[in-house]
Amino acid sequence: MRRFKDKTVVVTGGAQGIGARTAQRFREEGAKVEIIDLQPGDWFVGDIADPQVLERFAEYVIGKHGAVDVLVNNALPPMVGIDDCSWEEFVYAQKVGVAAPFYLSKLFKNNFAEGASIINISSTRATMSQPQTESYTAAKGGISALTHSLAVSLVPKVRVNSISPGWINTTDEVFDGPDASQQLVGRVGRPDDIASMILFLASDESGFITGENIVIDGGMTRQMIYHNDHGWKLEN
């Protein structure tokens, strides 16, 4: 398929993991992909927590391509818990996870093509938590709320949706046994599980979907857990 032939796609945090696979999948379907990432590489290198970096990046993309068809806000905010997280670290996580997606959307606002799509990467942690995850969880909750707000503001020119991944293995490590079987589908997620939905939400096939958050977690958050039920046991 060449659904995105000659379309311009922007991916933040596209150097590895979900972002890298997403960028590759768009290229395979004919898109012109621009990446911004902290890691050195053959893309725009910069810290999206810095608004001046975002301004230079947006100027570069618009100058090169004119219109933007797809914006994927994927860059990962740091996860630091309340015991160790400083004010600066917490604020930095919100800049990466919420402020940067907002500001890039604003910078591209007048240059989005008709029928453009913004896809924000949230997390199941926006609605559930492990201990010591405050900076990341707050950022993911923020981008979930930002999604429906932007969807209302940018209608009808741009559709805005978010995806909440569960456990996605972005390494070469193999997870089996309980790690896999605790997922309802019997395995840990893969970057392609998320990339496939990103491409769907960016395509005309999802033209009647906006303001939504789609959970992709192998059913993990749908299973009720009680002590001594269905093989689950709480050990103090």
Side-chain angles (χ1 to χ4, degrees):
M1 295 177 66
R2 303 281 285 179
R3 289 176 293 180
F4 301 99
K5 187 177 186 301
D6 297 328
K7 301 288 188 181
T8 298
V9 176
V10 173
V11 181
T12 70
Q16 62 183 5
I18 293 170
R21 184 57 181 143
T22 297
Q24 181 182 4
R25 290 279 300 274
F26 272 116
R27 290 191 184 103
E28 289 170 356
E29 293 207 26
K32 298 170 287 186
V33 180
E34 297 291 348
I35 289 170
I36 182 170
D37 201 287
L38 265 177
Q39 296 187 41
D42 187 22
W43 44 72
F44 194 101
V45 178
D47 186 349
I48 66 169
D50 184 341
Q52 293 182 337
V53 168
L54 294 176
E55 289 162 5
R56 292 196 298 271
F57 177 61
E59 184 179 11
Y60 160 76
V61 172
I62 293 167
K64 184 176 178 180
H65 301 285
V68 174
D69 297 280
V70 181
L71 170 60
V72 182
N73 289 307
N74 166 76
L76 194 68
M79 183 184 293
V80 191
I82 191 168
D83 288 353
D84 299 317
C85 189
S86 67
W87 169 271
E88 290 78 13
E89 287 172 316
F90 187 85
V91 171
Y92 180 81
Q94 310 320 303
K95 287 180 178 179
V96 171
V98 186
F102 164 78
Y103 198 38
L104 266 185
S105 301
K106 180 179 176 67
L107 291 169
F108 288 138
K109 181 175 180 290
N110 295 329
N111 293 90
F112 278 120
E114 289 291 335
S117 182
I118 299 172
I119 299 102
N120 297 321
I121 304 303
S122 183
S123 172
T124 53
R125 291 175 185 269
T127 56
M128 57 189 295
S129 294
Q130 291 175 299
Q132 304 300 320
T133 61
E134 281 74 18
S135 68
Y136 182 89
T137 298
K140 291 306 184 181
I143 200 169
S144 290
L146 178 66
T147 295
H148 57 74
S149 183
L150 285 174
V152 173
S153 294
L154 298 181
V155 68
K157 188 177 185 182
V158 184
R159 292 182 300 107
V160 189
N161 293 287
S162 64
I163 298 171
S164 287
W167 183 356
I168 306 297
N169 179 21
T170 59
T171 71
D172 294 328
E173 188 174 354
V174 175
F175 294 95
D176 51 20
D179 286 331
S181 61
Q182 69 180 329
Q183 321 283 332
L184 293 189
V185 299
R187 66 171 175 85
V188 172
R190 310 180 185 107
D192 263 318
D193 294 319
I194 308 305
S196 294
M197 180 56 70
I198 291 172
L199 268 69
F200 170 70
L201 290 174
S203 75
D204 293 339
E205 299 165 54
S206 63
F208 201 54
I209 302 174
T210 194
E212 289 299 321
N213 177 67
I214 298 173
V215 175
I216 303 177
D217 70 345
M220 189 73 177
T221 53
R222 290 303 186 191
Q223 179 163 286
M224 297 183 70
I225 298 174
Y226 292 96
H227 172 62
N228 274 341
D229 179 51
H230 198 62
W232 294 94
K233 185 174 181 180
L234 177 64
E235 294 183 0
N236 294 323

